[in-house]
Amino acid sequence: MRESMTTLFTTTWAVLTVAKIWPGRFSAAAMNSHFHGAAELDGPPTETDQLCESRLGSFYVPRDEAFEEAKQSALEAAQLRALLRNLIPAASDFLAGGGAPFASFSEVDALYSDGFLMGEDEPKWFAHQILANIWNSWQRMMRFDTPAVIKGDRFSWLRDGEFARQMLAGVNPVNIELLRELPISSKLDPDVYGPPESALTKEVIERDLLEMSLEEVFLLVLDNLDLELYQILPFVNKMNSLPGIKTYASRTVFYLSNAGVLRPLAIELSLPPTSSSSAGSKRVFTHGQDATTQWMWKLAKAHVWPNDASIHQIVNHLLRTHVCTEPYIIAMHRQLSVMHPIYKLLYPHMRYTLAVNAFARKNLISGGGIIEASYSPGKYAMGLSSAAYKTMWRFDMDALPADLLQRGMAVQDPCMPSGVKLVIEDYPYASDGLLIWQAIKELAEAYVEHFYCEPNSVKSDLELQAWWDEILNIGHADKRNEPWWPKLHTNEDLSSILTTMIWTTSGQHAAINFGQYPFGGCPLNRPTFMRRLIPQEGEPDYEKFKLNPEEFFLSSLPTRYQASKVMATQESVSSHSPDEEYLGKPNSSGNHWTNDEDIQNLYSKFADQLEAIEKMINLRNKDIQLQNRCGAGVPPYELLHPTSGPGVTGRGIPKSVSA
């Protein structure tokens, strides 16, 4: 400990010395901008738009929604750790005058074994051996933990099986869906985005189906090109105009093998028309047999991930679980008494959310912040999120069974407790999620039945009706006339609404948040953006690619500093605080707000159900028949395991959107 503190002190002194030598590059504003993406704005109005007010310090959060001491301390510690972990990469990036790519795959591995070490080609001021040793020994103390996805198999990111597995058991298992028709045709305006026909024709798909015919195969698609809900193509030209970003709209087709395992079949990468190319570009990549085709396939898979990572972060995580939850919370505080039974039920599921969202607005999704600096949409991230809200967000589709039915991943089955049956049994997110969903549903139904036992009691509850009215007409005013909003007239209406809200803030958020570092902590596995397009024969980069495909692949990924910044952020948001409240466990204020024995029994039954679900998940993770959660080097699927300890565990369902 004494040696560690001495090293930290000496390193801090070294940083301050460097700051004194290069005051312009290491000023407080410059360092803050480099580490966090943008300097703090201060004072109305903005310089670029006199009609827009600039931010004044922190976003306001009501005192009863602010972080408690334990959560605040954990957050500050995580911020400091992220800052320190990026200190050496940032210094290297500054002094080198640009981003340094990973030189080899083993250099990525060194992030976990050695930390970010200075290489032989670093600037001369590091040539002093003592100073270099201090920096390197300190960085070893701050090295990243090996993420779960490569902990048992460091080459798992290379395998097609792992690429497909993560569509069902990864951090974003909510976009894959049934491919309902061939040929695939775009719904976008052909005058703007080119011919609607997909390059993934029936002939292309049949050619690569080696073990079964097209008539008997079960095809799925991850469509980040034109799918009604996730249209990337309209943003591609804007994204490619950003410095250091090169991206495609992507469409990936998978098939379910005879062994019941999902396999990638083909990838379509598209560029929309530009001023120099009126037709745009559509390229198809398959596995191939020769070395060149196989390396092209690796690059194509790598280009799929930034789209998936961006949709995951900006739409599924930020929009659907963080932002769209705010109207429920604000309306709850404004319209429901703190003694109202629905307030008592919902409050634990709203804890910390406003404070977390305020933190995100200031540090993560702000102009030039982490999201804009680290994901392929860049400054168009919020535009993409807004477009997704306008075209795809529906309250009723936040219900897990409804979402699975919509994507063709389940069929209606009245014999099943949740009313649906999965079309792929080995779909860990969905199979575990339905267990959690059903337990929440049973709690909500029994709770509502207890407090609303008289006819028309839901419809006549003025506070409750005012709460729902504000959510529709103020919180989602632009969608208030949509026909899909549920009514709030009966016990069934109320319990269904409550189930969806509690699932969204607990199970849904846990499934897509706490796996960010376990899966994204390896930049080879899930890059958040790419820096080069895939070269074609005849282009200058094509010969460079053929001469050294590994070097070209690594130079296409984020730089060492860019990768470490994303990793530090993902580690922070994937971490549970020491005061986390988990689903099924008592609240910090206790569940004894009522002496009603029936209500206490309801909570006890719910806790017992969650314990039984934990045991079932543990058994599933040991079942060798379930290859998406069990096998050599395969990490168990635990994102919907209800409880966890503090830190980055890849498991645990907090009651609320608290990270």
Side-chain angles (χ1 to χ4, degrees), residues 112 147-149 166 169-173 308-314 316-318 321-322 356 364 370-371 375 508-523 525-528 566-576 639 648-651 657 659:
Y112 317 111
V149 71
Q166 290 181 38
V171 69
N172 189 42
D308 190 67
S310 298
I311 292 295
H312 161 257
Q313 193 67 268
I314 297 165
N316 297 330
H317 181 211
L318 173 66
T321 66
H322 280 258
V356 165
L364 301 181
I370 293 292
I371 299 301
Y375 287 80
Q508 183 63 49
H509 179 260
I512 60 177
N513 180 72
F514 294 103
Q516 289 194 63
Y517 186 78
F519 287 96
C522 175
N525 179 67
R526 192 176 171 81
T528 55
V566 174
M567 291 164 64
T569 303
Q570 291 179 332
E571 183 185 51
S572 178
V573 299
S574 300
S575 183
H576 293 292
L639 290 173
V648 179
T649 63
R651 55 170 22 191
V657 180

Short mmCIF file of all heavy atoms in Angstrom, two decimals, residues 112 147-149 166 169-173 308-314 316-318 321-322 356 364 370-371 375 508-523 525-528 566-576 639 648-651 657 659:
data_model
loop_
_atom_site.label_atom_id
_atom_site.label_comp_id
_atom_site.label_asym_id
_atom_site.label_seq_id
_atom_site.Cartn_x
_atom_site.Cartn_y
_atom_site.Cartn_z
N TYR A 112 -5.54 -6.08 -20.16
CA TYR A 112 -6.01 -6.81 -18.98
C TYR A 112 -4.86 -7.39 -18.17
O TYR A 112 -4.97 -7.53 -16.96
CB TYR A 112 -6.95 -7.94 -19.42
CG TYR A 112 -7.92 -7.50 -20.49
CD1 TYR A 112 -7.82 -8.00 -21.79
CD2 TYR A 112 -8.91 -6.55 -20.22
CE1 TYR A 112 -8.69 -7.58 -22.78
CE2 TYR A 112 -9.77 -6.13 -21.21
CZ TYR A 112 -9.66 -6.65 -22.49
OH TYR A 112 -10.51 -6.22 -23.47
N PRO A 147 -12.88 -9.06 -19.44
CA PRO A 147 -14.34 -9.18 -19.56
C PRO A 147 -14.76 -10.63 -19.75
O PRO A 147 -14.01 -11.46 -20.28
CB PRO A 147 -14.66 -8.34 -20.80
CG PRO A 147 -13.38 -8.22 -21.54
CD PRO A 147 -12.28 -8.30 -20.54
N ALA A 148 -15.97 -10.93 -19.32
CA ALA A 148 -16.45 -12.32 -19.29
C ALA A 148 -16.41 -12.99 -20.66
O ALA A 148 -16.15 -14.19 -20.76
CB ALA A 148 -17.88 -12.36 -18.73
N VAL A 149 -16.66 -12.23 -21.72
CA VAL A 149 -16.78 -12.83 -23.04
C VAL A 149 -15.49 -13.48 -23.51
O VAL A 149 -15.50 -14.41 -24.32
CB VAL A 149 -17.28 -11.78 -24.06
CG1 VAL A 149 -16.20 -10.74 -24.36
CG2 VAL A 149 -17.76 -12.44 -25.35
N GLN A 166 -24.40 -14.08 -29.27
CA GLN A 166 -24.65 -12.81 -28.59
C GLN A 166 -25.93 -12.13 -29.05
O GLN A 166 -26.42 -11.23 -28.37
CB GLN A 166 -23.44 -11.89 -28.76
CG GLN A 166 -22.23 -12.36 -27.99
CD GLN A 166 -21.04 -11.43 -28.13
OE1 GLN A 166 -21.18 -10.22 -28.16
NE2 GLN A 166 -19.85 -12.01 -28.21
N ALA A 169 -28.01 -14.05 -26.39
CA ALA A 169 -27.56 -14.10 -25.00
C ALA A 169 -26.51 -13.05 -24.70
O ALA A 169 -25.75 -13.19 -23.76
CB ALA A 169 -26.99 -15.49 -24.69
N GLY A 170 -26.49 -11.98 -25.50
CA GLY A 170 -25.52 -10.91 -25.27
C GLY A 170 -26.15 -9.73 -24.56
O GLY A 170 -27.19 -9.84 -23.92
N VAL A 171 -25.52 -8.57 -24.74
CA VAL A 171 -26.00 -7.37 -24.05
C VAL A 171 -27.14 -6.70 -24.81
O VAL A 171 -27.85 -5.86 -24.26
CB VAL A 171 -24.83 -6.38 -23.85
CG1 VAL A 171 -24.37 -5.79 -25.17
CG2 VAL A 171 -25.21 -5.27 -22.87
N ASN A 172 -27.36 -7.07 -26.06
CA ASN A 172 -28.46 -6.48 -26.84
C ASN A 172 -29.24 -7.58 -27.57
O ASN A 172 -29.22 -7.66 -28.80
CB ASN A 172 -27.90 -5.47 -27.85
CG ASN A 172 -29.01 -4.67 -28.52
OD1 ASN A 172 -29.95 -4.24 -27.87
ND2 ASN A 172 -28.90 -4.46 -29.82
N PRO A 173 -29.94 -8.42 -26.82
CA PRO A 173 -30.63 -9.56 -27.43
C PRO A 173 -32.06 -9.24 -27.86
O PRO A 173 -32.90 -10.13 -27.95
CB PRO A 173 -30.63 -10.58 -26.29
CG PRO A 173 -30.79 -9.73 -25.06
CD PRO A 173 -30.06 -8.43 -25.35
N ASP A 308 -25.16 -2.26 -34.09
CA ASP A 308 -25.84 -2.92 -32.98
C ASP A 308 -25.55 -2.21 -31.66
O ASP A 308 -26.45 -2.01 -30.85
CB ASP A 308 -25.39 -4.39 -32.90
CG ASP A 308 -26.24 -5.20 -31.93
OD1 ASP A 308 -27.43 -5.40 -32.22
OD2 ASP A 308 -25.71 -5.61 -30.88
N ALA A 309 -24.28 -1.82 -31.47
CA ALA A 309 -23.91 -1.13 -30.23
C ALA A 309 -24.60 0.22 -30.12
O ALA A 309 -25.01 0.64 -29.03
CB ALA A 309 -22.39 -0.95 -30.17
N SER A 310 -24.74 0.93 -31.24
CA SER A 310 -25.37 2.24 -31.22
C SER A 310 -26.87 2.14 -30.96
O SER A 310 -27.42 2.89 -30.15
CB SER A 310 -25.11 2.97 -32.55
OG SER A 310 -23.73 3.18 -32.74
N ILE A 311 -27.53 1.21 -31.65
CA ILE A 311 -28.96 1.00 -31.39
C ILE A 311 -29.18 0.56 -29.95
O ILE A 311 -30.11 1.01 -29.27
CB ILE A 311 -29.54 -0.04 -32.37
CG1 ILE A 311 -29.55 0.51 -33.80
CG2 ILE A 311 -30.93 -0.48 -31.94
CD1 ILE A 311 -30.46 1.69 -34.00
N HIS A 312 -28.30 -0.32 -29.47
CA HIS A 312 -28.41 -0.77 -28.09
C HIS A 312 -28.31 0.40 -27.12
O HIS A 312 -29.16 0.55 -26.24
CB HIS A 312 -27.30 -1.78 -27.78
CG HIS A 312 -27.04 -1.96 -26.32
ND1 HIS A 312 -25.94 -1.39 -25.70
CD2 HIS A 312 -27.73 -2.58 -25.34
CE1 HIS A 312 -25.98 -1.68 -24.41
NE2 HIS A 312 -27.05 -2.39 -24.17
N GLN A 313 -27.28 1.21 -27.27
CA GLN A 313 -27.02 2.27 -26.30
C GLN A 313 -28.00 3.42 -26.41
O GLN A 313 -28.52 3.91 -25.40
CB GLN A 313 -25.59 2.78 -26.49
CG GLN A 313 -25.09 3.66 -25.35
CD GLN A 313 -24.91 2.90 -24.07
OE1 GLN A 313 -25.82 2.85 -23.25
NE2 GLN A 313 -23.76 2.29 -23.89
N ILE A 314 -28.27 3.86 -27.63
CA ILE A 314 -29.03 5.08 -27.84
C ILE A 314 -30.54 4.84 -27.82
O ILE A 314 -31.30 5.69 -27.35
CB ILE A 314 -28.61 5.72 -29.18
CG1 ILE A 314 -27.13 6.12 -29.14
CG2 ILE A 314 -29.47 6.94 -29.51
CD1 ILE A 314 -26.54 6.42 -30.50
N ASN A 316 -32.32 1.24 -27.25
CA ASN A 316 -32.83 0.25 -26.31
C ASN A 316 -32.50 0.58 -24.86
O ASN A 316 -33.31 0.33 -23.96
CB ASN A 316 -32.29 -1.13 -26.66
CG ASN A 316 -32.75 -1.59 -28.02
OD1 ASN A 316 -33.84 -1.21 -28.48
ND2 ASN A 316 -31.94 -2.38 -28.70
N HIS A 317 -31.32 1.12 -24.63
CA HIS A 317 -30.92 1.45 -23.26
C HIS A 317 -31.38 2.85 -22.86
O HIS A 317 -32.23 3.01 -21.99
CB HIS A 317 -29.40 1.33 -23.12
CG HIS A 317 -28.91 1.62 -21.74
ND1 HIS A 317 -27.67 2.18 -21.49
CD2 HIS A 317 -29.48 1.47 -20.52
CE1 HIS A 317 -27.51 2.33 -20.19
NE2 HIS A 317 -28.59 1.92 -19.58
N LEU A 318 -30.84 3.88 -23.52
CA LEU A 318 -31.15 5.25 -23.12
C LEU A 318 -32.63 5.59 -23.31
O LEU A 318 -33.31 6.02 -22.36
CB LEU A 318 -30.29 6.22 -23.95
CG LEU A 318 -30.63 7.70 -23.78
CD1 LEU A 318 -30.31 8.16 -22.37
CD2 LEU A 318 -29.89 8.54 -24.80
N THR A 321 -35.45 2.61 -21.63
CA THR A 321 -35.48 2.35 -20.20
C THR A 321 -35.21 3.58 -19.35
O THR A 321 -35.70 3.67 -18.23
CB THR A 321 -34.47 1.24 -19.79
OG1 THR A 321 -33.14 1.69 -20.01
CG2 THR A 321 -34.73 -0.03 -20.57
N HIS A 322 -34.42 4.53 -19.85
CA HIS A 322 -34.11 5.73 -19.06
C HIS A 322 -35.10 6.86 -19.34
O HIS A 322 -35.79 7.34 -18.45
CB HIS A 322 -32.69 6.20 -19.37
CG HIS A 322 -31.63 5.45 -18.66
ND1 HIS A 322 -30.99 5.92 -17.54
CD2 HIS A 322 -31.08 4.23 -18.90
CE1 HIS A 322 -30.10 5.04 -17.12
NE2 HIS A 322 -30.12 4.00 -17.94
N VAL A 356 -29.77 9.62 -12.10
CA VAL A 356 -28.94 8.95 -13.10
C VAL A 356 -29.10 9.62 -14.46
O VAL A 356 -28.12 9.86 -15.18
CB VAL A 356 -29.32 7.45 -13.19
CG1 VAL A 356 -28.75 6.82 -14.45
CG2 VAL A 356 -28.79 6.71 -11.96
N LEU A 364 -22.67 12.03 -20.38
CA LEU A 364 -22.66 10.96 -21.37
C LEU A 364 -23.29 11.37 -22.70
O LEU A 364 -22.72 11.14 -23.76
CB LEU A 364 -23.36 9.72 -20.82
CG LEU A 364 -22.76 9.12 -19.55
CD1 LEU A 364 -23.53 7.88 -19.13
CD2 LEU A 364 -21.29 8.78 -19.75
N ILE A 370 -19.36 11.49 -24.03
CA ILE A 370 -18.86 10.13 -24.29
C ILE A 370 -19.60 9.45 -25.43
O ILE A 370 -18.97 8.82 -26.30
CB ILE A 370 -18.98 9.28 -23.00
CG1 ILE A 370 -18.03 9.80 -21.92
CG2 ILE A 370 -18.69 7.82 -23.30
CD1 ILE A 370 -16.58 9.61 -22.25
N ILE A 371 -20.92 9.54 -25.45
CA ILE A 371 -21.69 8.85 -26.49
C ILE A 371 -21.35 9.41 -27.87
O ILE A 371 -21.09 8.66 -28.82
CB ILE A 371 -23.20 8.95 -26.22
CG1 ILE A 371 -23.56 8.30 -24.87
CG2 ILE A 371 -24.00 8.30 -27.35
CD1 ILE A 371 -23.19 6.85 -24.76
N TYR A 375 -19.37 6.54 -30.19
CA TYR A 375 -20.28 5.69 -30.96
C TYR A 375 -20.43 6.25 -32.37
O TYR A 375 -20.34 7.47 -32.58
CB TYR A 375 -21.63 5.57 -30.27
CG TYR A 375 -21.59 4.70 -29.04
CD1 TYR A 375 -21.10 5.19 -27.83
CD2 TYR A 375 -21.99 3.37 -29.08
CE1 TYR A 375 -21.03 4.39 -26.70
CE2 TYR A 375 -21.93 2.56 -27.95
CZ TYR A 375 -21.44 3.07 -26.77
OH TYR A 375 -21.36 2.27 -25.65
N GLN A 508 -35.83 -5.50 -17.73
CA GLN A 508 -35.39 -5.05 -19.05
C GLN A 508 -34.12 -4.23 -18.97
O GLN A 508 -33.18 -4.44 -19.74
CB GLN A 508 -36.50 -4.23 -19.71
CG GLN A 508 -36.18 -3.77 -21.12
CD GLN A 508 -36.00 -4.94 -22.08
OE1 GLN A 508 -36.82 -5.84 -22.13
NE2 GLN A 508 -34.91 -4.94 -22.83
N HIS A 509 -34.07 -3.30 -18.02
CA HIS A 509 -32.86 -2.48 -17.88
C HIS A 509 -31.66 -3.33 -17.48
O HIS A 509 -30.55 -3.14 -18.01
CB HIS A 509 -33.07 -1.37 -16.84
CG HIS A 509 -31.86 -0.52 -16.64
ND1 HIS A 509 -31.01 -0.69 -15.56
CD2 HIS A 509 -31.32 0.48 -17.38
CE1 HIS A 509 -30.02 0.17 -15.65
NE2 HIS A 509 -30.17 0.90 -16.73
N ALA A 510 -31.84 -4.26 -16.57
CA ALA A 510 -30.73 -5.11 -16.14
C ALA A 510 -30.16 -5.91 -17.31
O ALA A 510 -28.95 -6.05 -17.46
CB ALA A 510 -31.18 -6.04 -15.02
N ALA A 511 -31.05 -6.43 -18.15
CA ALA A 511 -30.62 -7.29 -19.25
C ALA A 511 -29.78 -6.55 -20.29
O ALA A 511 -28.92 -7.15 -20.94
CB ALA A 511 -31.85 -7.92 -19.93
N ILE A 512 -30.01 -5.24 -20.45
CA ILE A 512 -29.28 -4.52 -21.48
C ILE A 512 -28.27 -3.51 -20.93
O ILE A 512 -27.62 -2.81 -21.71
CB ILE A 512 -30.25 -3.79 -22.45
CG1 ILE A 512 -31.10 -2.78 -21.70
CG2 ILE A 512 -31.11 -4.79 -23.19
CD1 ILE A 512 -32.03 -1.99 -22.61
N ASN A 513 -28.13 -3.46 -19.61
CA ASN A 513 -27.16 -2.53 -19.04
C ASN A 513 -25.95 -3.22 -18.41
O ASN A 513 -24.81 -2.88 -18.72
CB ASN A 513 -27.81 -1.64 -17.98
CG ASN A 513 -26.82 -0.66 -17.38
OD1 ASN A 513 -26.39 0.30 -18.02
ND2 ASN A 513 -26.42 -0.91 -16.13
N PHE A 514 -26.18 -4.20 -17.55
CA PHE A 514 -25.08 -4.72 -16.75
C PHE A 514 -24.18 -5.70 -17.48
O PHE A 514 -23.22 -6.21 -16.92
CB PHE A 514 -25.63 -5.32 -15.45
CG PHE A 514 -26.25 -4.28 -14.56
CD1 PHE A 514 -27.62 -4.15 -14.47
CD2 PHE A 514 -25.46 -3.39 -13.86
CE1 PHE A 514 -28.21 -3.16 -13.68
CE2 PHE A 514 -26.02 -2.40 -13.07
CZ PHE A 514 -27.39 -2.28 -12.98
N GLY A 515 -24.47 -5.93 -18.75
CA GLY A 515 -23.56 -6.73 -19.58
C GLY A 515 -22.68 -5.88 -20.48
O GLY A 515 -21.95 -6.41 -21.31
N GLN A 516 -22.73 -4.55 -20.30
CA GLN A 516 -21.98 -3.68 -21.21
C GLN A 516 -20.47 -3.95 -21.14
O GLN A 516 -19.82 -4.09 -22.17
CB GLN A 516 -22.28 -2.21 -20.91
CG GLN A 516 -23.69 -1.80 -21.31
CD GLN A 516 -23.85 -0.30 -21.32
OE1 GLN A 516 -23.21 0.40 -22.10
NE2 GLN A 516 -24.71 0.21 -20.46
N TYR A 517 -19.93 -4.02 -19.93
CA TYR A 517 -18.50 -4.32 -19.85
C TYR A 517 -18.20 -5.80 -20.08
O TYR A 517 -17.25 -6.13 -20.79
CB TYR A 517 -17.91 -3.88 -18.51
CG TYR A 517 -16.41 -4.06 -18.48
CD1 TYR A 517 -15.57 -3.15 -19.12
CD2 TYR A 517 -15.83 -5.17 -17.87
CE1 TYR A 517 -14.19 -3.34 -19.15
CE2 TYR A 517 -14.46 -5.37 -17.89
CZ TYR A 517 -13.64 -4.45 -18.53
OH TYR A 517 -12.28 -4.64 -18.57
N PRO A 518 -18.99 -6.74 -19.53
CA PRO A 518 -18.71 -8.16 -19.81
C PRO A 518 -18.63 -8.49 -21.30
O PRO A 518 -17.90 -9.39 -21.70
CB PRO A 518 -19.88 -8.87 -19.13
CG PRO A 518 -20.20 -8.00 -17.96
CD PRO A 518 -20.02 -6.60 -18.49
N PHE A 519 -19.39 -7.77 -22.15
CA PHE A 519 -19.34 -8.02 -23.59
C PHE A 519 -18.57 -6.94 -24.35
O PHE A 519 -17.84 -7.23 -25.29
CB PHE A 519 -20.76 -8.12 -24.16
CG PHE A 519 -21.47 -9.39 -23.78
CD1 PHE A 519 -22.34 -9.43 -22.70
CD2 PHE A 519 -21.25 -10.56 -24.48
CE1 PHE A 519 -22.98 -10.59 -22.33
CE2 PHE A 519 -21.90 -11.74 -24.13
CZ PHE A 519 -22.76 -11.76 -23.05
N GLY A 520 -18.73 -5.67 -23.96
CA GLY A 520 -18.10 -4.58 -24.68
C GLY A 520 -16.72 -4.23 -24.19
O GLY A 520 -16.03 -3.41 -24.80
N GLY A 521 -16.29 -4.84 -23.07
CA GLY A 521 -14.97 -4.55 -22.52
C GLY A 521 -13.84 -5.06 -23.36
O GLY A 521 -12.68 -4.73 -23.12
N CYS A 522 -14.14 -5.85 -24.38
CA CYS A 522 -13.13 -6.29 -25.36
C CYS A 522 -13.41 -5.57 -26.67
O CYS A 522 -14.41 -5.88 -27.34
CB CYS A 522 -13.17 -7.80 -25.57
SG CYS A 522 -12.05 -8.39 -26.87
N PRO A 523 -12.57 -4.61 -27.06
CA PRO A 523 -12.84 -3.84 -28.29
C PRO A 523 -12.83 -4.69 -29.54
O PRO A 523 -13.36 -4.28 -30.57
CB PRO A 523 -11.72 -2.80 -28.31
CG PRO A 523 -10.64 -3.34 -27.43
CD PRO A 523 -11.34 -4.16 -26.38
N ASN A 525 -14.30 -7.62 -29.68
CA ASN A 525 -15.57 -8.33 -29.69
C ASN A 525 -16.73 -7.44 -30.13
O ASN A 525 -17.61 -7.89 -30.86
CB ASN A 525 -15.88 -8.89 -28.30
CG ASN A 525 -17.21 -9.63 -28.26
OD1 ASN A 525 -17.36 -10.68 -28.87
ND2 ASN A 525 -18.19 -9.07 -27.55
N ARG A 526 -16.74 -6.18 -29.67
CA ARG A 526 -17.90 -5.34 -29.89
C ARG A 526 -17.47 -3.87 -30.04
O ARG A 526 -17.76 -3.05 -29.18
CB ARG A 526 -18.87 -5.52 -28.72
CG ARG A 526 -20.24 -4.93 -28.92
CD ARG A 526 -21.14 -5.25 -27.72
NE ARG A 526 -22.37 -4.53 -27.79
CZ ARG A 526 -23.42 -4.88 -28.52
NH1 ARG A 526 -23.37 -6.00 -29.22
NH2 ARG A 526 -24.53 -4.15 -28.54
N PRO A 527 -16.78 -3.54 -31.15
CA PRO A 527 -16.37 -2.14 -31.33
C PRO A 527 -17.58 -1.23 -31.47
O PRO A 527 -18.60 -1.62 -32.06
CB PRO A 527 -15.54 -2.17 -32.62
CG PRO A 527 -16.02 -3.38 -33.35
CD PRO A 527 -16.38 -4.39 -32.30
N THR A 528 -17.47 -0.02 -30.94
CA THR A 528 -18.60 0.91 -30.99
C THR A 528 -18.57 1.80 -32.23
O THR A 528 -19.54 2.50 -32.50
CB THR A 528 -18.62 1.80 -29.73
OG1 THR A 528 -17.35 2.45 -29.60
CG2 THR A 528 -18.87 0.95 -28.49
N VAL A 566 -14.00 4.06 -23.90
CA VAL A 566 -15.26 3.34 -23.92
C VAL A 566 -15.28 2.26 -22.84
O VAL A 566 -16.27 2.09 -22.12
CB VAL A 566 -15.52 2.71 -25.31
CG1 VAL A 566 -16.75 1.83 -25.28
CG2 VAL A 566 -15.68 3.79 -26.36
N MET A 567 -14.17 1.54 -22.72
CA MET A 567 -14.09 0.46 -21.72
C MET A 567 -14.29 1.01 -20.31
O MET A 567 -15.01 0.42 -19.49
CB MET A 567 -12.75 -0.26 -21.83
CG MET A 567 -12.60 -1.08 -23.10
SD MET A 567 -10.87 -1.52 -23.44
CE MET A 567 -10.50 -2.56 -22.02
N ALA A 568 -13.65 2.13 -20.00
CA ALA A 568 -13.78 2.72 -18.67
C ALA A 568 -15.21 3.15 -18.39
O ALA A 568 -15.74 2.96 -17.29
CB ALA A 568 -12.84 3.91 -18.53
N THR A 569 -15.87 3.71 -19.40
CA THR A 569 -17.27 4.13 -19.24
C THR A 569 -18.17 2.92 -19.06
O THR A 569 -19.05 2.91 -18.19
CB THR A 569 -17.71 4.95 -20.47
OG1 THR A 569 -16.85 6.07 -20.63
CG2 THR A 569 -19.14 5.43 -20.29
N GLN A 570 -17.98 1.90 -19.89
CA GLN A 570 -18.83 0.71 -19.79
C GLN A 570 -18.63 -0.01 -18.46
O GLN A 570 -19.58 -0.53 -17.89
CB GLN A 570 -18.53 -0.23 -20.96
CG GLN A 570 -19.00 0.31 -22.30
CD GLN A 570 -18.67 -0.60 -23.45
OE1 GLN A 570 -17.69 -1.36 -23.41
NE2 GLN A 570 -19.46 -0.55 -24.50
N GLU A 571 -17.41 -0.01 -17.98
CA GLU A 571 -17.16 -0.63 -16.68
C GLU A 571 -17.91 0.11 -15.59
O GLU A 571 -18.50 -0.50 -14.69
CB GLU A 571 -15.66 -0.64 -16.38
CG GLU A 571 -15.33 -1.36 -15.07
CD GLU A 571 -13.86 -1.26 -14.73
OE1 GLU A 571 -13.32 -0.13 -14.74
OE2 GLU A 571 -13.24 -2.30 -14.46
N SER A 572 -17.91 1.44 -15.68
CA SER A 572 -18.59 2.25 -14.67
C SER A 572 -20.09 2.00 -14.65
O SER A 572 -20.68 1.78 -13.59
CB SER A 572 -18.29 3.73 -14.92
OG SER A 572 -18.97 4.55 -13.99
N VAL A 573 -20.73 2.01 -15.83
CA VAL A 573 -22.19 1.85 -15.87
C VAL A 573 -22.61 0.40 -15.66
O VAL A 573 -23.79 0.13 -15.37
CB VAL A 573 -22.77 2.38 -17.20
CG1 VAL A 573 -22.47 3.85 -17.36
CG2 VAL A 573 -22.26 1.59 -18.39
N SER A 574 -21.67 -0.55 -15.78
CA SER A 574 -22.00 -1.96 -15.55
C SER A 574 -21.86 -2.36 -14.09
O SER A 574 -22.09 -3.51 -13.74
CB SER A 574 -21.10 -2.87 -16.39
OG SER A 574 -21.25 -2.61 -17.76
N SER A 575 -21.46 -1.42 -13.25
CA SER A 575 -21.13 -1.73 -11.86
C SER A 575 -22.30 -1.47 -10.92
O SER A 575 -22.99 -0.45 -11.03
CB SER A 575 -19.93 -0.89 -11.42
OG SER A 575 -19.54 -1.21 -10.11
N HIS A 576 -22.55 -2.39 -10.02
CA HIS A 576 -23.57 -2.21 -8.98
C HIS A 576 -22.97 -1.44 -7.80
O HIS A 576 -21.85 -1.71 -7.38
CB HIS A 576 -24.07 -3.57 -8.46
CG HIS A 576 -24.83 -4.36 -9.48
ND1 HIS A 576 -26.07 -3.98 -9.94
CD2 HIS A 576 -24.54 -5.53 -10.10
CE1 HIS A 576 -26.51 -4.87 -10.81
NE2 HIS A 576 -25.60 -5.82 -10.93
N LEU A 639 -27.47 -12.30 -16.69
CA LEU A 639 -27.92 -10.91 -16.65
C LEU A 639 -29.30 -10.77 -16.02
O LEU A 639 -29.66 -9.69 -15.57
CB LEU A 639 -27.91 -10.32 -18.06
CG LEU A 639 -26.52 -10.10 -18.66
CD1 LEU A 639 -26.62 -9.67 -20.13
CD2 LEU A 639 -25.75 -9.06 -17.85
N VAL A 648 -18.75 -4.97 -10.88
CA VAL A 648 -19.11 -5.51 -12.20
C VAL A 648 -19.22 -7.03 -12.08
O VAL A 648 -18.21 -7.73 -12.02
CB VAL A 648 -18.06 -5.13 -13.26
CG1 VAL A 648 -18.44 -5.72 -14.62
CG2 VAL A 648 -17.91 -3.62 -13.35
N THR A 649 -20.43 -7.52 -12.05
CA THR A 649 -20.65 -8.95 -11.84
C THR A 649 -21.35 -9.63 -13.02
O THR A 649 -21.34 -10.85 -13.12
CB THR A 649 -21.52 -9.18 -10.59
OG1 THR A 649 -22.81 -8.58 -10.80
CG2 THR A 649 -20.87 -8.56 -9.36
N GLY A 650 -21.98 -8.84 -13.91
CA GLY A 650 -22.72 -9.43 -15.02
C GLY A 650 -23.97 -10.14 -14.58
O GLY A 650 -24.50 -10.98 -15.31
N ARG A 651 -24.49 -9.78 -13.42
CA ARG A 651 -25.72 -10.39 -12.90
C ARG A 651 -26.41 -9.37 -11.99
O ARG A 651 -25.86 -8.33 -11.68
CB ARG A 651 -25.41 -11.66 -12.13
CG ARG A 651 -24.41 -11.43 -11.02
CD ARG A 651 -24.18 -12.56 -10.03
NE ARG A 651 -24.52 -13.89 -10.44
CZ ARG A 651 -24.55 -14.93 -9.60
NH1 ARG A 651 -24.26 -14.74 -8.32
NH2 ARG A 651 -24.85 -16.12 -10.02
N VAL A 657 -34.04 1.82 -12.57
CA VAL A 657 -33.00 2.23 -13.53
C VAL A 657 -32.01 3.09 -12.75
O VAL A 657 -32.10 4.31 -12.71
CB VAL A 657 -33.62 3.02 -14.70
CG1 VAL A 657 -32.55 3.45 -15.68
CG2 VAL A 657 -34.68 2.17 -15.40
N ALA A 659 -28.51 2.85 -13.01
CA ALA A 659 -27.17 2.94 -13.60
C ALA A 659 -27.29 3.18 -15.09
O ALA A 659 -28.33 2.93 -15.69
CB ALA A 659 -26.40 1.65 -13.35
#
